[in-house]
Amino acid sequence: MKRLLILLSLTLALPALAQATAAEGELPKLHLNEENEQIARKVAFDYLANAKIFISQGTVSKDTLTYEAIIADQRCTIEMELETLPAQRWLVKKLDCKN
Protein backbone atom coordinates (compact mmCIF):
# COMPACT_ATOMS: atom_id res chain seq x y z
CA MET A 1 0.00 0.00 0.00
CA LYS A 2 2.86 2.39 0.85
CA ARG A 3 4.49 1.71 -2.50
CA LEU A 4 1.22 2.47 -4.24
CA LEU A 5 1.01 5.82 -2.42
CA ILE A 6 4.59 6.62 -3.38
CA LEU A 7 3.96 5.77 -7.02
CA LEU A 8 0.80 7.88 -6.93
CA SER A 9 2.80 10.78 -5.43
CA LEU A 10 5.41 10.46 -8.15
CA THR A 11 2.72 10.33 -10.82
CA LEU A 12 1.12 13.50 -9.48
CA ALA A 13 4.40 15.37 -8.89
CA LEU A 14 6.21 14.64 -12.15
CA PRO A 15 3.87 16.52 -14.53
CA ALA A 16 4.24 19.61 -12.33
CA LEU A 17 8.02 19.23 -12.41
CA ALA A 18 8.40 18.76 -16.15
CA GLN A 19 7.74 21.99 -17.96
CA ALA A 20 8.92 21.09 -21.44
CA THR A 21 10.30 23.75 -23.76
CA ALA A 22 11.73 21.85 -26.70
CA ALA A 23 12.35 22.88 -30.24
CA GLU A 24 11.37 20.46 -32.98
CA GLY A 25 13.57 17.37 -32.83
CA GLU A 26 15.02 18.16 -29.37
CA LEU A 27 14.29 16.29 -26.20
CA PRO A 28 12.30 18.25 -23.62
CA LYS A 29 14.38 19.82 -20.85
CA LEU A 30 13.35 19.72 -17.22
CA HIS A 31 13.03 23.13 -15.59
CA LEU A 32 12.98 23.19 -11.81
CA ASN A 33 12.02 26.07 -9.65
CA GLU A 34 12.40 26.08 -5.87
CA GLU A 35 8.86 24.85 -5.21
CA ASN A 36 9.12 21.97 -7.70
CA GLU A 37 12.52 20.97 -6.32
CA GLN A 38 11.05 20.82 -2.81
CA ILE A 39 8.18 18.63 -4.05
CA ALA A 40 10.64 16.26 -5.75
CA ARG A 41 12.89 16.21 -2.65
CA LYS A 42 9.92 15.26 -0.41
CA VAL A 43 8.83 12.45 -2.73
CA ALA A 44 12.42 11.11 -2.88
CA PHE A 45 12.83 11.38 0.90
CA ASP A 46 9.52 9.61 1.60
CA TYR A 47 10.38 6.87 -0.88
CA LEU A 48 13.83 6.25 0.63
CA ALA A 49 12.48 6.38 4.18
CA ASN A 50 9.84 3.77 3.37
CA ALA A 51 12.27 1.60 1.43
CA LYS A 52 15.29 1.72 3.76
CA ILE A 53 14.04 2.31 7.32
CA PHE A 54 12.37 -0.35 9.44
CA ILE A 55 11.32 0.63 12.98
CA SER A 56 9.99 -1.42 15.89
CA GLN A 57 7.15 -0.52 18.19
CA GLY A 58 8.31 1.81 20.91
CA THR A 59 9.13 0.82 24.47
CA VAL A 60 7.84 3.31 27.03
CA SER A 61 9.60 4.11 30.31
CA LYS A 62 8.19 7.10 32.22
CA ASP A 63 8.69 10.04 29.85
CA THR A 64 11.14 8.23 27.53
CA LEU A 65 10.33 6.26 24.39
CA THR A 66 12.87 3.89 22.81
CA TYR A 67 12.77 2.51 19.26
CA GLU A 68 14.93 -0.13 17.62
CA ALA A 69 15.43 0.50 13.93
CA ILE A 70 17.30 -0.79 10.91
CA ILE A 71 18.45 2.07 8.71
CA ALA A 72 20.30 1.07 5.53
CA ASP A 73 21.82 -2.10 7.10
CA GLN A 74 22.67 -0.38 10.40
CA ARG A 75 21.00 -1.32 13.67
CA CYS A 76 20.04 1.79 15.62
CA THR A 77 18.55 2.60 18.99
CA ILE A 78 16.68 5.88 19.22
CA GLU A 79 15.75 7.29 22.62
CA MET A 80 13.19 10.07 22.68
CA GLU A 81 12.10 12.20 25.60
CA LEU A 82 8.84 14.05 26.12
CA GLU A 83 9.47 17.71 26.85
CA THR A 84 6.51 19.66 28.17
CA LEU A 85 7.78 23.24 28.31
CA PRO A 86 7.32 25.56 26.48
CA ALA A 87 5.10 23.15 24.50
CA GLN A 88 4.68 19.39 24.58
CA ARG A 89 6.98 17.77 22.01
CA TRP A 90 9.21 14.73 21.52
CA LEU A 91 12.97 15.29 21.30
CA VAL A 92 15.63 12.79 20.26
CA LYS A 93 17.73 12.28 23.40
CA LYS A 94 20.13 9.65 22.04
CA LEU A 95 20.88 7.97 18.72
CA ASP A 96 23.20 4.98 18.63
CA CYS A 97 23.87 3.12 15.36
CA LYS A 98 26.12 0.10 14.71
CA ASN A 99 26.87 -1.94 11.58
Side-chain angles (χ1 to χ4, degrees), residues 18-82:
Q19 300 167 356
T21 57
E24 192 173 322
E26 286 185 19
L27 295 175
K29 295 182 180 176
L30 185 65
H31 294 283
L32 290 178
N33 60 31
E34 189 174 331
E35 180 182 0
N36 289 339
E37 194 275 335
Q38 291 299 321
I39 292 168
R41 181 180 298 272
K42 181 176 178 356
V43 171
F45 182 84
D46 290 347
Y47 175 80
L48 290 171
N50 285 325
K52 297 290 182 185
I53 298 175
F54 304 95
I55 192 165
S56 69
Q57 273 193 290
T59 304
V60 178
S61 174
K62 295 185 181 177
D63 60 350
T64 302
L65 185 56
T66 303
Y67 291 104
E68 299 295 324
I70 298 174
I71 304 170
D73 299 330
Q74 291 188 36
R75 292 195 173 275
C76 298
T77 301
I78 301 120
E79 288 183 23
M80 301 180 72
E81 187 174 64
L82 184 61

Side-chain angles (χ1 to χ4, degrees), residues 83-99:
E83 185 178 90
T84 55
L85 294 175
Q88 186 171 345
R89 61 185 177 166
W90 286 99
L91 299 175
V92 175
K93 181 178 175 180
K94 182 179 175 184
L95 174 63
D96 183 29
C97 293
K98 297 179 174 115
N99 284 339

